C-alpha cells in the first residue's frame, strides 16, 4: 500500500525475500514459445498476412494512393529538377572515383532511382552514387584491372581496359546487390546497429581523404597508378609528388578556381539558407560555364587538358555479371553492401524522424539490393545516397519519391539528348565538383574533440576507424574498425563498474558510499554492486573486486581456520589444552609446528566447511585463541550482492560464483542477492546452482528488504526472548517493524540498527 504524504510517500508491506513474495503472490504460468513455434508463426499463411507482406514489399502501394496531388506536386517537381541537375554532375564526377568513363555515372544515377521508387520506404533520400562507395568500387576495379595493363597506351588498348573496368564495376555492384537482397529477405536489417555513429563518422571522414587523394591525378593530370592495398594512400602520394613537376598548369588552375567558387557559394548557401528560396545551384552554373569556356577556347588542344569526351547516347543492353570477377571480389561486395546500407539507412532515419514517418531497415536492404542488381545489370556502379544530394531534395521542398522520379527524368534527358554538350568539359572540373561535395564529411574532424569530452571510448573508436581506413584501405579498415569496436564492448563488460553501496538519506535508497556524506552502513554488512552482465570473461574480475571490497579472502580465512582446528585437536589430544567454563586454557609451552606438518597430505580438507562437532567447545573465532594459533579477523557477518544491473549470468560464471559464495558461507558469513531480474532463479535452479549451502532463501526483492531482514535477524538473535511474531523493533525514528512487516513513514528519517 502506498500513501502520498505531501511530496513524500508511505509504504507499508512485509520484508520480502523472493520465496516469500512468490508464496504470497501467485505467479501466472506463461507458455514461452519455442523455436518451432516462432518458425510456424513466421511461415503461417493467411489473407491478412499476405496483404501485410505485399504492402511491406511494395511500399508504393501504401503511399502513392494517398498522395496529395494539389499540395505536393509542385514542390516535388521543383525538388526533382534541382536534385536531377545535381545527380547528373555527381554521376559524372563520381565515375572518376570508380575509374570508369564518366558516362557510366549517369546509369548509376538513373536505374537505382526507378527501383527505389517502388520498393523504398524513405520519402526524402536521393538514391544514386555516393563518393565512399564509388571509391570502394574503384579500389576493386583498379586491383583487378590495373593501369599498367594498358600496355603501350594506344586508344584501342585504353578502350579495351575501360570495357574491362566497366564490367568489373558492374559485377561488383551486382554482387553487392545480391548480398543486400539476401540480408533483407533474411531480416538482417539489424546489422546496422554494429556500425556506431562514431564508426561511420570516422570511416566516412577517412573515405573523404581517400577521395581527395584519388582526385589529385585528375586535378594535376598525372599518370598515377592505383594502389588498392594496405598503405596504398602513401604510395599514391609518393607517386604524385615524384611527378609533381609534370603537372598540367591549366588543369591545376581550373581545379583551384572551381574549388574556390564552389566552397564560397556553398558557404553562402549554408549561412543564408533561411533567406534564400532555394540553394544556388553552383555545380550546375560552374559546369555550364566550364563547358562553354572549354568549347570556345578549345582547352583540349591548346593546353592538352583531359576532357570528358563523347558520351554515348541511349542505353546499352543489360549484361550478365562476370563469374570470374564475382569470385575475386566477394569481400569487396560485402563491404560495399554493408557500408552502402548503413549510410543510406542513417540518412533515411534522420529524415524519417524529422518528418515523422517509419523506415523499415529490412525493406531498405531489399530496395537497395534490387537497385544495385538492376544498376549493375545496366553497367552502372554501386548506389546509396549522397548526403548533399539528399539535402537538396529535402531542402527544396521534396515530399515523396515523386521528386526522385523527376530527378531520374532529368538524368534520362541528359543520357538520351544533351549528353554531347558535356563532351568538352575538363575532367579536372568534375574532380573539383567531387571534392566540393566533401565539405560535410571533412568537417567531421571536429567530432574528435567533442567525443573526447563526452565519451572517450567513442573518441578512440573514431580515431582507430579513421587511421585503419586511411592506412589499411576502406575494406580492410572497415573490418578492423568493426572488430575494434566490438573489442571495446568486451573490454567495458570485462572490466565492469563494481561499487560498495550505503544507505543515503536514511531511507530505502542505496548509492555509492564514496559519493555522499550523509550515509549509513549497517555494522557488519557490506553491500556490493556489479553494473554489468557476469560471464566467463569477467567473473574473476568480479571475484577479485568482491574480495577487495570485504577486505579479506574467504578461502584463505577458511584454510587458516581449518589449520587452527587441526592444531587445537592435536593439543587437546596431547593434553596441552584444557576446557574450562571460561574457554580453553593452555597447559604447556607452545612448540611451533610448520603448516606442512599440520597439513599432513590432507590439504584438500582445508577447503571443506569447519567441523567442530568432535570438540568439547565451540570456537569463537573473534575471541582470543590459544597461543600460537592465529586466524585472520573477519569483521562482517553479511554480504548483500546487488544484481539489479546483472542482465545475464552464463554457466561458466555461475560455477565460479557458486564456489565463491560457498567460501563465504563456510566462514559463517550470510550471503544475500537482491534485485535479480525475472527468471534468474529459474535459470539457477535449472543449472543445479542450489544445494545445502547455497539456498534460494538468500534472494530478496530489493537491497532494502535484505538490509531490514539482516537488522531484524540481528536484533532477534541478541534478544532470545523476542520472536518474529510478537516483537516490535525500532529501526529508525519513523521506520518500524512488527515481526517482518515494515512501515516506512518518511524517507528522510534516520535509519539506525
Amino acid at each position: 500500500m502506498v500513501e502520498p504524504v505531501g511530496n513524500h510517500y508511505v509504504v507499508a508491506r512485509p520484508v520480502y525475500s523472493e520465496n516469500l513474495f512468490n508464496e504470497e503472490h501467485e505467479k501466472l504460468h506463461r507458455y514461452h514459445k519455442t523455436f518451432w513455434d516462432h518458425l510456424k508463426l513466421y511461415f503461417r499463411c493467411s489473407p491478412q498476412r499476405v496483404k501485410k507482406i505485399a504492402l511491406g514489399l511494395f511500399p508504393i502501394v501504401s503511399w502513392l494512393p494517398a498522395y496529395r496531388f494539389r499540395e505536393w506536386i509542385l514542390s516535388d517537381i521543383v525538388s526533382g529538377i534541382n536534385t536531377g541537375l545535381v545527380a547528373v554532375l555527381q554521376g559524372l564526377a563520381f565515375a572518376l572515383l570508380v575509374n570508369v568513363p564518366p558516362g557510366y555515372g549517369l546509369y548509376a544515377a538513373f536505374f537505382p532511382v526507378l527501383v527505389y521508387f517502388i520498393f523504398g520506404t524513405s520519402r526524402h533520400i536521393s538514391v544514386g552514387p555516393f563518393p565512399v562507395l564509388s571509391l570502394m568500387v574503384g579500389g576493386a576495379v583498379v586491383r583487378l584491372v590495373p593501369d599498367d595493363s594498358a600496355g603501350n597506351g594506344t586508344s584501342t588498348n585504353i578502350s579495351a581496359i575501360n570495357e574491362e573496368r566497366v564490367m568489373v564495376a558492374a559485377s561488383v555492384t551486382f554482387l553487392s546487390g545480391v548480398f543486400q537482397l539476401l540480408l533483407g529477405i533474411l531480416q538482417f536489417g539489424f546489422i546496422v546497429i554494429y556500425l556506431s555513429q562514431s564508426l561511420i563518422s570516422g570511416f566516412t571522414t577517412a573515405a573523404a581523404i581517400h577521395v581527395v587523394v584519388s582526385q589529385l591525378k585528375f586535378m594535376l593530370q598525372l599518370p598515377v597508378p592505383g594502389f588498392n592495398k594496405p598503405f596504398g594512400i602513401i604510395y599514391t602520394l609518393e607517386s604524385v609528388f615524384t611527378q609533381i613537376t609534370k603537372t598540367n598548369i591549366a588543369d591545376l588552375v581550373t581545379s583551384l578556381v572551381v574549388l574556390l567558387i564552389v566552397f564560397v557559394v556553398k558557404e553562402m548557401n549554408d549561412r543564408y539558407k533561411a533567406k534564400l528560396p532555394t540553394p544556388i545551384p553552383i555545380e550546375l552554373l560552374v559546369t555550364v560555364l566550364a563547358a562553354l569556356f572549354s568549347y570556345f577556347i578549345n582547352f583540349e588542344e591548346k593546353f592538352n587538358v583531359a576532357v570528358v569526351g563523347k558520351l554515348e547516347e541511349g542505353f546499352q543492353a543489360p549484361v550478365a555479371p562476370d563469374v570470374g570477377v564475382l569470385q575475386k571480389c566477394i569481400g569487396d561486395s560485402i563491404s560495399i553492401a554493408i557500408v552502402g546500407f548503413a549510410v543510406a539507412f542513417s540518412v533515411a532515419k534522420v529524415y524519417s524522424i524529422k518528418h515523422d514517418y517509419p523506415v523499415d531497415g529490412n525493406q531498405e536492404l531489399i530496395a537497395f539490393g534490387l537497385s544495385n542488381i538492376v544498376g549493375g545489370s545496366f553497367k552502372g556502379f554501386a548506389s546509396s545516397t549522397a548526403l548533399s544530394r539528399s539535402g537538396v531534395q529535402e531542402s527544396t521542398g521534396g515530399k515523396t519519391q515523386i521528386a526522385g522520379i523527376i530527378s531520374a527524368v532529368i538524368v534520362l534527358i541528359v543520357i538520351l539528348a544533351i549528353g554531347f554538350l558535356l563532351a568538352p568539359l575538363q575532367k579536372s572540373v568534375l574532380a573539383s565538383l567531387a571534392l566540393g561535395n566533401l565539405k560535410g564529411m571533412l568537417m567531421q574532424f571536429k567530432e574528435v574533440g567533442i567525443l573526447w569530452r563526452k565519451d572517450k571510448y567513442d573518441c578512440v573508436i573514431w580515431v582507430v576507424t579513421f587511421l585503419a581506413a586511411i592506412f589499411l584501405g576502406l575494406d580492410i579498415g572497415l573490418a578492423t574498425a568493426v572488430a575494434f569496436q566490438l573489442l571495446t564492448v568486451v573490454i567495458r563488460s570485462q572490466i565492469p563498474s563494481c561499487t560498495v553501496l550505503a544507505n543515503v538519506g536514511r531511507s530505502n535508497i542505496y548509492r555509492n558510499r564514496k559519493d555522499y556524506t550523509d550515509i549509513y552502513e549497517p555494522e557488519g554488512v557490506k553491500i556490493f554492486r556489479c553494473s554489468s552482465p557476469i560471464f566467463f570473461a569477467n567473473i574473476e574480475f568480479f571475484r577479485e573486486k568482491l574480495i577487495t571490497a570485504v577486505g579479506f579472502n574467504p578461502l584463505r580465512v577458511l584454510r587458516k581456520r581449518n589449520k587452527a582446528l587441526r592444531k587445537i585437536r592435536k593439543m587437546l589430544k596431547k593434553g596441552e589444552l584444557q576446557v574450562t567454563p571460561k574457554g580453553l586454557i593452555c597447559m604447556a609451552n607452545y612448540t611451533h609446528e610448520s603448516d606442512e606438518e599440520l597439513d599432513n597430505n590432507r590439504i584438500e580438507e582445508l577447503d571443506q566447511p569447519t567441523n567442530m562437532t568432535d570438540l568439547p567447545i565451540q570456537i569463537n573465532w573473534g575471541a582470543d585463541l590459544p597461543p600460537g594459533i592465529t586466524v585472520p579477523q573477519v569483521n562482517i557477518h553479511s554480504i548483500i550482492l546487488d544484481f539489479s544491473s546483472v542482465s545475464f549470468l552464463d554457466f561458466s560464471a555461475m560455477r565460479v560464483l557458486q564456489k565463491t559464495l560457498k567460501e563465504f558461507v563456510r566462514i559463517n558469513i550470510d550471503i544475500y542477492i537482491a534485485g535479480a531480474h525475472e527468471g534468474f532463479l529459474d535459470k539457477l535452479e535449472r543449472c543445479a546452482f542450489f544445494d545445502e549451502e547455497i539456498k534460494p532463501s538468500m534472494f530478496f526483492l530489493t537491497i532494502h528488504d535484505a538490509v531490514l531482514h539482516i537488522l531484524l535477524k540481528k536484533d532477534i538473535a541478541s534478544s532470545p526472548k523476542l520472536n518474529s511474531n510478537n516483537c516490535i523493533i525500532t529501526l529508525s525514528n519513523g521506520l518500524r517493524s512488527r515481526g517482518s512487516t515494515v512501515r516506512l513513514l518518511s524517507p528522510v528519517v534516520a535509519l539506525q540498527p
Side-chain angles (χ1 to χ4, degrees), residues 9 11 30 193 254 281 289 294 300 375 396 479 545 586-587 592 608 652 737:
Y9 63 85
V11 178
R30 291 190 299 152
I193 66 176
T254 302
L289 291 175
S294 184
E300 184 178 8
T396 53
K545 284 294 185 179
C586 186
M587 304 299 294
H592 177 77
Q608 300 302 313
S652 300
S737 173

Side-chain angles (χ1 to χ4, degrees), residues 51 99 102 127 153 280 302 324 404 406 438 539 566 660 668 713:
K51 180 180 178 181
N99 296 288
V127 180
I280 301 172
K302 288 187 177 181
I406 302 297
L438 299 178
I539 182 61
R566 288 184 183 181
T660 303
N668 301 322
K713 182 178 177 181

Side-chain angles (χ1 to χ4, degrees), residues 63-189:
W63 65 264
L64 191 57
Y67 186 80
R68 303 176 189 173
F69 189 85
R70 292 183 178 179
E71 297 178 35
W72 293 349
I73 189 62
L74 183 60
S75 297
D76 278 341
I77 290 175
V78 172
S79 174
I81 293 173
N82 282 278
T83 306
L85 295 173
V86 175
V88 168
L89 300 175
Q90 289 187 349
L92 296 172
F94 296 160
L96 300 182
L97 303 179
V98 186
N99 296 288
V100 297
Y104 290 93
L106 298 178
Y107 300 155
F110 176 72
F111 290 105
V113 177
L114 303 181
V115 178
Y116 191 85
F117 175 75
I118 299 172
F119 295 98
T121 60
S122 174
R123 302 175 189 172
H124 293 89
I125 65 171
S126 174
V127 180
F130 177 59
V132 176
L133 286 192
S134 301
L135 194 64
M136 295 176 75
V137 176
V141 168
V142 171
R143 188 182 78 249
L144 297 180
V145 189
D147 287 328
D148 57 4
S149 64
N152 57 17
T154 63
S155 59
T156 304
N157 285 333
I158 292 175
S159 177
I161 292 303
N162 284 337
E163 285 296 326
E164 287 185 47
R165 289 185 166 180
V166 168
M167 198 64 206
V168 170
S171 299
V172 171
T173 299
F174 183 91
L175 187 56
S176 67
V178 170
F179 281 126
Q180 288 176 326
L181 180 61
L182 289 176
L183 290 173
I185 293 173
L186 297 175
Q187 304 289 292
F188 270 75

Side-chain angles (χ1 to χ4, degrees), residues 283-542:
E283 291 95 343
L284 176 64
L285 297 177
V286 166
T287 303
V288 171
L289 291 175
L292 290 174
F293 272 110
S294 184
Y295 178 77
F296 287 108
I297 301 178
N298 199 3
F299 280 176
E300 184 178 8
E301 292 184 6
K302 288 187 177 181
F303 302 104
N304 194 30
V305 297
V307 297
V308 171
K310 183 180 179 181
L311 300 179
E312 294 186 13
E313 294 185 359
F315 296 102
Q316 298 185 17
V319 295
D322 188 325
V323 177
V325 173
L326 297 181
Q327 294 174 346
K328 297 176 183 177
C329 60
I330 293 176
D332 300 280
S333 298
I334 293 174
S335 301
I336 291 167
I338 293 176
V339 173
F341 168 65
V343 173
F345 186 79
S346 300
V347 176
K349 195 70 176 175
V350 170
Y351 290 125
S352 71
I353 293 172
K354 180 178 179 180
H355 296 279
D356 192 24
Y357 62 87
V359 175
D360 186 345
N362 294 312
Q363 183 61 27
E364 288 294 290
L365 270 173
I366 293 174
F368 279 104
L370 292 173
S371 297
N372 282 322
I373 289 173
V374 173
S377 299
F378 284 91
K379 297 186 178 181
F381 49 84
S383 65
S384 177
T385 179
L387 282 68
S388 57
R389 195 169 62 247
S390 295
V392 169
Q393 181 165 319
E394 192 267 345
S395 63
T396 53
K399 303 297 183 182
T400 66
Q401 284 301 328
I402 294 290
I405 289 295
I406 302 297
S407 70
V409 170
I410 300 297
V411 177
L412 180 64
I413 293 172
V414 175
I415 294 173
L416 296 179
I418 62 174
F420 68 92
L421 297 176
L422 299 173
L425 184 65
Q426 292 173 246
K427 286 187 177 180
S428 57
V429 174
L430 293 180
S432 299
L433 293 177
L435 298 186
N437 285 286
L438 299 178
K439 177 190 172 186
M441 285 190 278
L442 291 174
M443 294 300 289
Q444 292 176 146
F445 277 111
K446 293 181 178 180
E447 293 184 13
V448 177
I450 298 172
L451 289 173
W452 181 257
R453 292 190 296 271
K454 292 184 176 180
D455 191 317
K456 291 181 174 54
Y457 274 105
D458 276 341
C459 180
V460 172
I461 290 171
W462 196 103
V463 172
V464 170
T465 301
F466 175 79
L467 295 177
I470 283 286
F471 294 111
L472 300 180
L474 294 178
D475 47 359
I476 300 176
L478 177 63
T480 303
V482 172
F484 179 79
Q485 178 181 249
L486 296 178
L487 179 62
T488 62
V489 175
V490 172
I491 292 173
R492 280 189 269 191
S493 59
Q494 190 173 345
I495 309 176
S497 172
C498 297
T499 54
V500 177
L501 307 183
N503 184 280
V504 179
R506 295 155 180 83
S507 64
N508 62 337
I509 299 172
Y510 293 82
R511 293 289 187 270
N512 190 337
R513 63 189 300 274
K514 296 180 181 179
D515 294 338
Y516 298 89
T517 56
D518 183 17
I519 62 172
Y520 165 68
E521 295 182 275
E523 184 180 353
V525 179
K526 284 288 182 184
I527 308 172
F528 182 79
R529 168 181 290 168
C530 176
S531 300
S532 165
I534 302 177
F535 57 104
F536 64 92
N538 67 5
I539 182 61
E540 290 300 333
F541 180 85
F542 171 85

